[in-house]
Coordinates of all heavy atoms in Angstrom, one line a residue:
P137 N 8.2 -5.4 122.1 CA 9.1 -4.3 122.6 C 8.6 -3.8 123.9 O 9.5 -3.1 124.7 CB 8.9 -3.2 121.5 CG 8.6 -4.0 120.2 CD 7.7 -5.2 120.7
R139 N 7.8 -5.5 126.4 CA 8.1 -6.6 127.4 C 6.9 -7.5 127.7 O 6.8 -8.1 128.7 CB 8.7 -6.1 128.7 CG 10.0 -5.3 128.4 CD 11.1 -6.3 127.9 NE 12.4 -5.6 127.7 CZ 12.8 -5.2 126.5 NH1 12.1 -5.2 125.5 NH2 14.0 -4.5 126.4
I256 N 12.6 -10.7 120.1 CA 11.6 -9.6 120.3 C 11.0 -9.3 119.0 O 11.6 -9.0 118.0 CB 12.5 -8.4 120.8 CG1 13.2 -8.6 122.1 CG2 11.5 -7.2 121.0 CD1 14.3 -7.7 122.6
D258 N 8.2 -7.2 116.9 CA 7.5 -6.0 116.8 C 6.6 -6.1 115.6 O 7.0 -5.8 114.4 CB 8.5 -4.7 116.7 CG 7.8 -3.4 116.8 OD1 6.6 -3.4 116.9 OD2 8.5 -2.4 116.7
R262 N 9.3 -6.8 112.1 CA 10.5 -6.6 112.8 C 10.7 -7.7 113.8 O 9.8 -7.9 114.7 CB 10.6 -5.3 113.5 CG 10.8 -4.1 112.6 CD 11.1 -2.9 113.3 NE 11.6 -1.7 112.5 CZ 12.2 -0.8 112.9 NH1 12.3 -0.4 114.2 NH2 12.8 0.2 112.0
L264 N 13.9 -9.3 116.3 CA 15.4 -9.4 116.7 C 15.6 -10.7 117.4 O 14.8 -11.1 118.3 CB 15.6 -8.2 117.6 CG 16.9 -8.2 118.4 CD1 18.1 -8.1 117.4 CD2 17.0 -7.1 119.4
W283 N 18.4 -10.4 112.5 CA 17.5 -9.2 112.3 C 16.7 -9.6 111.1 O 17.3 -9.8 109.9 CB 18.3 -7.9 112.1 CG 17.4 -6.7 111.9 CD1 17.2 -6.2 110.6 CD2 16.8 -6.0 112.8 NE1 16.3 -5.0 110.9 CE2 16.1 -5.0 112.2 CE3 16.7 -6.0 114.3 CZ2 15.3 -4.0 112.9 CZ3 15.9 -5.1 115.0 CH2 15.2 -4.0 114.3
W293 N 18.8 -0.9 103.4 CA 19.2 -1.0 104.9 C 20.7 -0.7 104.9 O 21.1 0.0 105.7 CB 18.9 -2.4 105.4 CG 19.4 -2.6 106.8 CD1 18.7 -2.3 107.9 CD2 20.6 -3.1 107.2 NE1 19.4 -2.6 109.0 CE2 20.6 -3.1 108.6 CE3 21.8 -3.5 106.6 CZ2 21.7 -3.5 109.4 CZ3 22.9 -3.9 107.3 CH2 22.8 -3.8 108.7
A296 N 21.5 3.1 104.4 CA 21.1 4.0 105.5 C 22.1 4.0 106.6 O 22.1 4.9 107.4 CB 19.8 3.5 106.1
G297 N 23.2 3.0 106.6 CA 24.2 3.1 107.6 C 23.7 2.3 108.8 O 22.6 1.9 108.9
L298 N 24.6 2.2 109.8 CA 24.4 1.4 110.9 C 23.7 2.0 112.1 O 22.9 1.5 112.9 CB 25.7 0.8 111.5 CG 26.4 -0.3 110.7 CD1 27.7 -0.6 111.3 CD2 25.5 -1.6 110.6
A299 N 23.7 3.4 112.0 CA 23.2 4.1 113.2 C 21.8 3.9 113.5 O 21.3 3.6 114.7 CB 23.6 5.6 113.1
P300 N 20.8 4.0 112.5 CA 19.4 3.8 112.8 C 19.2 2.3 113.3 O 18.4 2.1 114.2 CB 18.8 4.0 111.4 CG 19.8 4.9 110.6 CD 21.0 4.4 111.1
W301 N 19.8 1.3 112.6 CA 19.7 0.0 113.1 C 20.1 -0.2 114.5 O 19.4 -0.9 115.3 CB 20.3 -0.9 112.1 CG 20.3 -2.3 112.5 CD1 19.1 -3.2 112.5 CD2 21.4 -3.1 113.1 NE1 19.5 -4.4 112.9 CE2 20.7 -4.4 113.4 CE3 22.6 -2.9 113.4 CZ2 21.6 -5.4 113.9 CZ3 23.4 -3.9 113.9 CH2 22.8 -5.1 114.2
K302 N 21.3 0.3 114.8 CA 21.8 0.1 116.2 C 20.8 0.7 117.2 O 20.7 0.2 118.3 CB 23.2 0.6 116.3 CG 24.3 -0.2 115.6 CD 25.7 0.3 115.9 CE 26.8 -0.6 115.5 NZ 28.1 -0.1 115.8
A303 N 20.3 1.8 116.8 CA 19.4 2.5 117.8 C 18.2 1.7 118.0 O 17.7 1.6 119.2 CB 19.0 3.9 117.3
D304 N 17.7 1.0 117.0 CA 16.5 0.1 117.2 C 16.9 -1.1 118.1 O 16.1 -1.5 119.0 CB 16.0 -0.4 115.8 CG 15.3 0.7 115.0 OD1 14.8 1.6 115.6 OD2 15.3 0.6 113.8
V305 N 18.0 -1.7 117.8 CA 18.4 -2.9 118.5 C 18.6 -2.5 120.0 O 18.1 -3.2 121.0 CB 19.7 -3.4 118.0 CG1 20.2 -4.6 118.9 CG2 19.5 -4.0 116.6
V306 N 19.2 -1.4 120.3 CA 19.4 -1.0 121.7 C 18.1 -0.6 122.4 O 17.9 -0.9 123.5 CB 20.4 0.2 121.8 CG1 20.5 0.8 123.3 CG2 21.8 -0.3 121.5
R307 N 17.2 -0.1 121.5 CA 15.8 0.2 122.1 C 15.1 -1.1 122.5 O 14.4 -1.1 123.5 CB 15.1 1.1 121.1 CG 13.6 1.3 121.6 CD 13.0 2.4 120.6 NE 13.1 2.1 119.2 CZ 12.1 1.3 118.6 NH1 11.1 1.0 119.3 NH2 12.3 1.0 117.3
Y308 N 15.2 -2.1 121.7 CA 14.6 -3.4 121.9 C 15.2 -4.2 123.1 O 14.6 -4.8 123.9 CB 14.6 -4.2 120.7 CG 13.5 -3.7 119.6 CD1 14.0 -3.9 118.2 CD2 12.4 -3.2 119.9 CE1 13.2 -3.4 117.2 CE2 11.5 -2.8 118.8 CZ 11.9 -2.9 117.5 OH 11.1 -2.4 116.5
A309 N 16.5 -4.1 123.0 CA 17.3 -4.9 124.0 C 18.6 -4.2 124.4 O 19.7 -4.3 123.9 CB 17.8 -6.3 123.3
P310 N 18.5 -3.3 125.5 CA 19.5 -2.4 125.9 C 20.8 -3.2 126.3 O 21.9 -2.6 126.1 CB 18.9 -1.7 127.1 CG 17.5 -1.7 126.9 CD 17.2 -3.1 126.2
W311 N 20.7 -4.3 126.7 CA 21.9 -5.1 127.2 C 22.8 -5.5 126.1 O 23.8 -6.0 126.3 CB 21.5 -6.3 128.0 CG 20.7 -7.3 127.3 CD1 21.0 -8.3 126.6 CD2 19.2 -7.3 127.1 NE1 20.1 -9.1 126.0 CE2 18.9 -8.4 126.3 CE3 18.2 -6.4 127.6 CZ2 17.5 -8.7 125.9 CZ3 16.9 -6.8 127.2 CH2 16.6 -7.9 126.4
T312 N 22.4 -5.4 124.8 CA 23.1 -5.8 123.7 C 24.2 -4.8 123.2 O 24.9 -4.9 122.3 CB 22.3 -6.1 122.4 OG1 21.5 -5.0 122.0 CG2 21.3 -7.3 122.8
A313 N 24.2 -3.5 123.8 CA 25.0 -2.5 123.4 C 26.5 -2.9 123.3 O 27.2 -2.5 122.4 CB 24.8 -1.2 124.4
L316 N 27.2 -4.6 120.0 CA 27.2 -3.9 118.8 C 28.4 -3.2 118.5 O 28.6 -2.7 117.4 CB 26.0 -2.9 118.9 CG 24.6 -3.5 119.1 CD1 23.6 -2.6 119.1 CD2 24.3 -4.6 118.1
T317 N 29.3 -2.9 119.5 CA 30.5 -2.1 119.2 C 31.5 -2.8 118.2 O 32.2 -2.1 117.5 CB 31.3 -1.9 120.5 OG1 31.7 -3.2 121.1 CG2 30.5 -1.2 121.6
I319 N 30.5 -4.1 115.4 CA 29.9 -4.0 114.1 C 30.3 -2.6 113.7 O 29.7 -1.6 114.2 CB 28.4 -4.2 114.1 CG1 28.1 -5.6 114.7 CG2 27.9 -4.2 112.7 CD1 26.7 -5.9 114.8

Side-chain angles (χ1 to χ4, degrees):
R139 300 295 180 263
I256 300 169
D258 189 356
R262 287 191 165 193
L264 171 65
W283 181 261
W293 178 89
L298 288 173
W301 174 74
K302 284 188 176 184
D304 285 337
V305 174
V306 171
R307 177 165 56 87
Y308 291 140
W311 63 91
T312 62
L316 301 180
T317 59
I319 307 178

